[in-house]
């Protein structure tokens, strides 16, 4: 599960990119990817039109079935991997974790180029208040970490890259 603030920009963009990458890796039937937000402010809303536009421009199928929703403690406890878009989101997820011991990671920590960054520097840029360039930057950060997420999950599943 990918998690951002309102679940209309970063986390659904990451969800769409990851689904595409898992499908390309032959893991589309083995891995479920979803998204949510730490806030309920956008509850029920679709993916932001600017996010849909940049995804489509980069060849991703955006579909129309997404409805923003707020993450719950049950979500956190039931997921094998929860990917926070920012350190603030990660803190909110740990607060929800209660007695469970979920695997919560910063999404961008899977970007090989970001390995030297401190956790507080791993935030995926929030494009909400920006223009098309900000959505491009956000998508580039998401794409840069996506293969690392796929490799991590493949390893957790015990599946070789040739499978």
């Amino acid at each position: 599960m990918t998690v951002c603030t309102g679940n209309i920009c970063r986390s659904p963009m990451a969800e769409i990119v990851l689904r595409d990458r898992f499908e390309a890796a032959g893991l589309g039937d083995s891995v479920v990817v979803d998204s949510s937000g730490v806030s309920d402010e956008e509850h029920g809303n679709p993916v932001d039109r600017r996010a849909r536009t940049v995804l489509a421009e980069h060849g991703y199928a955006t579909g129309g079935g997404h409805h923003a929703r707020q993450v719950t403690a049950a979500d956190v406890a039931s997921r094998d991997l929860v990917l926070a878009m920012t350190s603030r989101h990660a803190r909110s997820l740990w607060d929800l974790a209660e007695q469970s011991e979920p695997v919560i990671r910063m999404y961008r920590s899977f970007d090989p180029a970001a390995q030297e960054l401190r956790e507080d520097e791993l935030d995926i840029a929030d494009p909400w208040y920006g223009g098309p360039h900000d959505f491009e930057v956000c998508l580039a950060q998401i794409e840069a970490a996506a293969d690392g997420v796929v490799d991590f999950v493949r390893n957790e599943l015990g599946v070789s890259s040739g499978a």
Side-chain angles (χ1 to χ4, degrees):
M1 171 181 278
T2 60
V3 181
C4 68
T5 303
N7 191 217
I8 61 168
C9 294
R10 291 171 286 186
S11 61
M13 289 172 73
E15 175 185 354
I16 289 166
V17 169
L18 286 175
R19 279 193 185 144
D20 183 76
R21 298 289 173 91
F22 280 119
E23 192 64 39
L27 296 170
D29 292 334
S30 303
V31 177
V32 175
V33 181
D34 62 353
S35 64
S36 61
V38 297
S39 168
D40 68 350
E41 66 192 85
E42 298 290 347
H43 181 81
N45 288 336
V47 176
D48 183 277
R49 66 173 169 71
R50 299 164 297 172
R52 285 193 316 269
T53 297
V54 76
L55 286 163
E57 288 172 350
H58 287 266
Y60 294 100
T62 57
H66 178 81
H67 299 286
R69 66 185 194 81
Q70 186 175 21
V71 66
T72 66
D75 289 331
V76 175
S78 67
R79 299 312 190 278
D80 294 315
L81 177 62
V82 183
L83 299 166
M85 295 292 120
T86 70
S87 56
R88 185 178 67 78
H89 300 139
R91 285 189 301 275
S92 294
L93 292 166
W94 281 113
D95 288 345
L96 282 175
E98 298 174 350
Q99 304 302 318
S100 64
E101 294 184 26
V103 177
I104 298 171
R105 296 268 308 264
M106 294 287 291
Y107 182 92
R108 199 163 171 216
S109 70
F110 291 96
D111 176 355
Q115 296 301 309
E116 301 300 317
L117 299 177
R118 295 185 321 264
E119 183 170 322
D120 62 335
E121 298 174 316
L122 291 173
D123 290 359
I124 297 285
D126 186 357
W128 174 253
Y129 294 104
H133 173 73
D134 299 284
F135 281 85
E136 290 284 345
V137 168
C138 179
L139 180 59
Q141 290 176 333
I142 288 168
E143 288 180 320
D147 289 336
V149 174
V150 171
D151 290 343
F152 176 83
V153 170
R154 180 185 288 122
N155 185 56
E156 290 295 303
L157 293 173
V159 177
S160 69
S161 60

